[in-house]
Amino acid sequence: MSLKKISMKRLYEKAMRFTLMAAVFMAMAGLGGYLALTFIIKGADTVVVPDLVGKDVLYGLEILSDLGLNTRVKGTVFDDQVPKNHVIDQEPEPGAAIKRGRDVKIRVSRGSETIVMPNLTGLSLQHGKVFVTENGLCQGKLARISSFRHKEDQIISQSPLSGNTVSRDTCVDLLVSQGPPQIAYPMADLSGFTLAAAIGRLEQMQLVVGNISVVHHDHRPLETVVDQAPPAGYRVIRGSRVDLSVNRSETDRTQNSADETDSIRLFRFQLENGFLKKRVQVKLSQPWFTVTLFDEFLTPGHEVWLFVPKNGNPTILVYVDDLLVQTIFMDE
């Protein structure tokens, strides 16, 4: 074989080896690209579970939501080591790779099973109830007592006492002030008073005018109080109701029954400005009966307009939250 033929053969073999190596390289490159693309596509739906143990539950909810994962609380238990509303454990474990949209289950701590009883004395009843609820305690018995030293609805004492270690769900009994004791004083004798004078005296004593009835006594001064309930000397407290009986002539009684609606008068009353609704009552006292003309809860500044009869010398009594605030004698 000539030298020229040998050289051509070797050159051909080299070309074939180069072509084969190039084909293998291109195949490997294609496979690598495919695997890399597949990993990227799959990785786009996969996230790493964060470590939530010991973290506040609200913080955990926010983190999982940002990662596209769902939070499932599988229970709450007492734990002396993990603070209240913090994560005790989780599933899957931190570092696990899961797809978006999957659930992460957590257990949440209810805090220590025992707590030191807080001091509620001196707080208002409303604030005391909030403290009881926030500490996982239950509300027990509630008793009230009059007190000069404590305001109304202020907590005087508690059981269990503050500083004691108690378990959750312990019921707390409270003793609450109902304000200073109501002072009783003897009822004044209103006999012989005119109706206007009697009402004025009752207002001074902070008593409430009740029913006003009419009677007739020949030997007693007309248009004066001849009877009252409670009677003079009876022990009463502020806000008590007092009924009055007024002596009027038989002629007045006859005229009143025969002439009931001959004339009327416009009555107007405006509730003072403020912030809360108040109960307004307008009562008309005729010689032989008392009738309520108006009884509603009104907003501040509201005005009441009523037509009332003038005959029979009636008296108009206006109450705001059960306190007499205005007295009008229609015969004036």
Side-chain angles (χ1 to χ4, degrees):
M1 185 179 295
S2 66
L3 183 60
K4 183 177 181 181
K5 288 183 178 180
I6 294 173
S7 297
M8 290 295 295
K9 184 177 180 181
R10 289 178 178 177
L11 182 61
Y12 175 76
E13 290 176 352
K14 288 182 179 181
M16 290 297 294
R17 286 197 300 268
F18 178 78
T19 301
L20 180 61
M21 291 179 63
V24 171
F25 176 78
M26 292 180 65
M28 292 296 294
L31 179 62
Y34 171 78
L35 294 176
L37 182 60
T38 301
F39 178 78
I40 292 173
I41 293 175
K42 290 186 177 181
D45 292 330
T46 303
V47 294
V48 176
V49 178
D51 186 1
L52 304 177
V53 176
K55 305 294 194 304
D56 183 270
V57 65
L58 295 179
Y59 170 81
L61 290 173
E62 183 178 356
I63 293 298
L64 293 179
S65 178
D66 290 342
L67 293 174
L69 300 174
N70 302 320
T71 305
R72 293 288 181 267
V73 178
K74 62 180 181 180
T76 59
V77 295
F78 291 110
D79 193 301
D80 295 332
Q81 305 300 321
V82 180
K84 184 178 180 180
N85 294 329
H86 285 63
V87 178
I88 299 175
D89 54 37
Q90 67 182 80
E91 181 185 346
E93 295 291 330
I98 61 175
K99 291 184 178 181
R100 297 182 188 273
R102 294 292 180 86
D103 295 343
V104 176
K105 301 178 182 179
I106 60 175
R107 282 198 308 162
V108 180
S109 172
R110 297 175 61 183
S112 175
E113 194 166 5
T114 60
I115 63 168
V116 176
M117 186 66 200
N119 184 16
L120 305 178
T121 58
L123 298 178
S124 67
L125 177 60
Q126 181 180 0
H127 289 164
K129 288 181 177 180
V130 171
F131 267 77
V132 167
T133 303
E134 287 183 345
N135 285 277
L137 304 170
C138 74
Q139 298 177 18
K141 297 179 181 178
L142 179 65
R144 294 181 180 271
I145 188 174
S146 299
S147 174
F148 286 105
R149 297 177 54 190
H150 300 85
K151 299 178 181 179
E152 186 176 0
D153 280 340
Q154 189 175 24
I155 298 175
I156 299 175
S157 63
Q158 66 185 75
S159 177
L161 297 176
S162 62
N164 291 341
T165 300
V166 297
S167 61
R168 302 282 183 176
D169 300 330
T170 296
C171 292
V172 183
D173 300 331
L174 299 175
L175 179 63
V176 180
S177 170
Q178 60 184 12
Q182 294 179 316
I183 300 175
Y185 43 87
M187 179 64 205
D189 186 0
L190 303 177
S191 298
F193 280 58
T194 64
L195 182 58
I199 292 175
R201 183 74 178 100
L202 292 176
E203 290 177 347
Q204 292 176 355
M205 299 179 67
Q206 295 185 317
L207 300 174
V208 177
V209 179
N211 293 326
I212 301 175
S213 59
V214 172
V215 296
H216 177 69
H217 294 281
D218 291 333
H219 304 294
R220 302 289 292 274
L222 296 177
E223 302 300 329
T224 61
V225 175
V226 294
D227 196 11
Q228 65 186 71
Y234 187 86
R235 306 293 289 181
V236 294
I237 60 175
R238 183 180 62 182
S240 298
R241 293 172 57 89
V242 180
D243 297 333
L244 301 174
S245 295
V246 180
N247 189 30
R248 286 187 175 173
S249 68
E250 288 286 350
T251 303
D252 287 340
R253 179 172 57 178
T254 303
Q255 290 176 349
N256 292 334
S257 59
D259 197 12
E260 293 183 352
T261 57
D262 286 350
S263 59
I264 60 175
R265 174 178 170 182
L266 176 63
F267 166 79
R268 297 173 61 184
F269 173 78
Q270 185 173 15
L271 188 62
E272 63 183 7
N273 293 325
F275 300 98
L276 302 177
K277 286 186 175 182
K278 294 185 178 181
R279 183 186 182 186
V280 177
Q281 295 172 290
V282 180
K283 296 183 179 182
L284 182 144
S285 176
Q286 283 282 21
W288 299 100
F289 64 90
T290 298
V291 63
T292 299
L293 302 178
F294 185 88
D295 186 354
E296 291 185 17
F297 284 88
L298 302 180
T299 55
H302 192 93
E303 190 171 16
V304 178
W305 289 38
L306 297 173
F307 286 104
V308 296
K310 293 176 59 178
N311 59 296
N313 299 328
T315 302
I316 301 297
L317 306 174
V318 182
Y319 297 86
V320 176
D321 288 342
D322 295 326
L323 294 178
L324 182 64
V325 297
Q326 189 173 354
T327 305
I328 301 175
F329 301 96
M330 302 300 291
D331 58 348
E332 293 180 351

